[in-house]
Amino acid sequence: MNARTARKAADVVTRDPVRTRRLILDAARTLLAREGRDALNVRRVAELADVNRGTAYLHFASREELTQATLEDVSRQLAKTVLLPLPVGDVTSIPISQWRVKADELAQFAMNNPALGQIWLNYILTSEQVRSDPFWLKWVGATRALARSGYAHRGVDSEVLAVVLLASYFTWPIWAEAHSAPGSDRSEMGRRLSSELLRLIGQGVLLPEYEKLIGRRDKRPRTQKAAEAGAITAGKKSPKKRKRQHDS
């Protein structure tokens, strides 16, 4: 592409501010996921998005503004794609099979985006704007609806439950070193994560008569499951071993 063609393309993008903003946010999300928060700046994002730097600064005047907008965009996309079917009222209107689907989708997103997920989780847990965040509103609304439903034990603290579950989704990939795992291994580790969280909900939140509806889906022999889990985490140091090495 020659300079004149490049300028013409940039002019077209500039005249479509919605598309330009989308290009910038997608590039920022890619850079966050690939290199982390410290690597994010308007200049690099403009280059990655193939957008004029001046145009990018018209949309986001600073790195902080771009970072905030990118994390808010992740929240909107997660709320739209993962949480869309979840209710904020009567959870009994949603088949429990859908809970499994949504648990798997969120687990796979977390496994495939460990660095981005860690940054986003920190934003959710520390941002003063979290009370208006679209994902958090939907997430805590769904856990509150579950706690108040006829499915759950009395006295379930929905806010604590929401934080514990969300933290589990986005810290397990860091512990499991998902960033260096092949895609097939990440998929299996995500399945393990969602299965365990569903089991914990089944045994700790739901009444006994509903527990079996959300229990383990994996009917393989325990020895086979243990062998496969061991194959995935082979060579990974245990917490105690890590501590001893650190102390030494």
Side-chain angles (χ1 to χ4, degrees), residues 29 33 74 78 82 102-121 165-179 186-187 189-190 193-194 197:
R29 175 172 170 171
V74 172
L78 280 175
V82 176
K102 296 297 110 182
D104 284 340
E105 288 179 356
L106 188 56
Q108 294 305 326
F109 174 86
M111 296 306 301
N112 289 321
N113 300 276
L116 178 62
Q118 187 177 30
I119 296 167
W120 177 79
L121 177 64
L165 290 176
L166 195 61
S168 298
Y169 273 111
F170 289 96
T171 53
W172 164 248
I174 305 302
W175 167 255
E177 299 177 351
H179 65 281
R186 288 199 305 270
S187 179
M189 286 187 287
L193 171 62
S194 61
L197 290 178

Side-chain angles (χ1 to χ4, degrees), residues 146-161:
L146 174 61
R148 294 175 178 175
S149 73
Y151 287 154
H153 290 284
R154 295 182 62 183
V156 172
D157 190 319
S158 59
E159 188 173 25
V160 171
L161 179 62

Side-chain angles (χ1 to χ4, degrees), residues 32 36 57 76 84 88 95 98 116-117 120 139 145 147 150 168 185 187 191 194 201 203 212 223 227 229:
L32 272 177
Y57 274 107
R76 283 191 296 270
L84 183 61
V88 294
Q98 274 296 306
L116 178 62
W120 177 79
W139 181 260
S168 298
D185 284 1
S187 179
R191 188 203 62 78
S194 61
I201 292 174
Q203 295 185 359
K212 62 182 179 181
T223 53

Side-chain angles (χ1 to χ4, degrees), residues 20-50:
T20 301
R21 183 180 177 86
R22 181 73 267 155
L23 289 172
I24 294 171
L25 288 174
D26 286 347
R29 175 172 170 171
T30 297
L31 195 58
L32 272 177
R34 184 193 301 164
E35 301 184 35
R37 192 167 192 153
D38 291 342
L40 191 69
N41 61 63
V42 178
R43 177 186 59 79
R44 290 196 63 189
V45 169
E47 292 174 356
L48 186 60
D50 199 19

Side-chain angles (χ1 to χ4, degrees), residues 2-14:
N2 59 37
R4 178 178 296 179
T5 304
R7 285 195 300 272
K8 184 176 180 180
D11 290 342
V12 171
V13 171
T14 303

